[in-house]
Amino acid sequence: MMYPAIACAVVTMLASGCIDTNAPQTFNLTPAGGELSLAGGAVVFSVPPNAVTTSIAVTATPVTNIAGLTVVSGTVYDIQSLVHLNLPIRVTIQFAAAALPPGVLDSELVIYKYNGSTWFKLDGSVVSPTFGTVAADLTSFGVFGVLGAPATNVVVTPLLPPCASINC
């Protein structure tokens, strides 16, 4: 029997079994670094050595009450800690092609940070439509999500210059 918002998986930092992917999850970052997986593998953190000076607790909570024309459903997380990062950590967020807003291409997805009123694009985001993931480096904690620009906003530039005469 399947239950909504429940995923059965082996998660690196949790015991094997079923986990509630909508519940807040707390994990520890250590100076040794490593890779941590949350929400049944939907979010992966790649932490370099010395990104933090001591072990710190970080909480990741799925956010479901943020809407927008280009927010990809199921990809927004509130990632919080009381400590600042010494080095960027890589976050990789999975997305479902079926969750893309109308007119948004998977190849145009980017991770953004939300400040409570505005989304700010994270430079260096990398999308892999083949694997259904978007990755970016985080230099601080906060609310992050996968967004894309509607395809209707794409400007098409002709390959050939316009013809200046009737006999082109």
Side-chain angles (χ1 to χ4, degrees), residues 139-157:
T139 57
S140 63
F141 297 106
V143 176
F144 298 91
V146 176
L147 285 78
T152 55
N153 292 343
V154 174
V155 176
V156 178
T157 304

Side-chain angles (χ1 to χ4, degrees), residues 14-15 20 28 41 54 59-60 64 69 72-74 82 91-93 97-98 101 109 113-114 120 141 148:
L14 300 174
D20 182 351
N28 290 317
T54 61
T59 301
T64 57
L69 293 177
V72 179
S73 177
L82 298 176
V91 63
T92 302
I93 302 175
L109 297 176
K113 184 174 183 178
Y114 188 67
F120 294 95
F141 297 106

Side-chain angles (χ1 to χ4, degrees), residues 27 29 33-38 42-49 51 58 79 85-94 110-111 122-128 133-141 144:
F27 57 97
L29 294 183
E35 192 166 278
L36 300 168
S37 178
L38 300 174
V43 181
V44 176
F45 295 93
S46 300
V47 184
V58 178
I79 304 166
L85 296 169
N86 296 329
L87 298 170
I89 61 174
R90 185 78 147 166
V91 63
T92 302
I93 302 175
Q94 288 183 345
V110 176
I111 294 179
L122 294 184
D123 292 331
S125 286
V126 178
V127 64
S128 173
T133 60
V134 183
D137 291 333
L138 306 184
T139 57
S140 63
F141 297 106
F144 298 91

Side-chain angles (χ1 to χ4, degrees), residues 3-62:
Y3 296 97
I6 301 290
C8 291
V10 177
V11 179
T12 333
M13 52 174 281
L14 300 174
S16 297
C18 291
I19 59 169
D20 182 351
T21 57
N22 284 328
Q25 295 181 27
T26 300
F27 57 97
N28 290 317
L29 294 183
T30 67
E35 192 166 278
L36 300 168
S37 178
L38 300 174
V43 181
V44 176
F45 295 93
S46 300
V47 184
N50 301 314
V52 294
T53 53
T54 61
S55 293
I56 64 166
V58 178
T59 301
T61 306

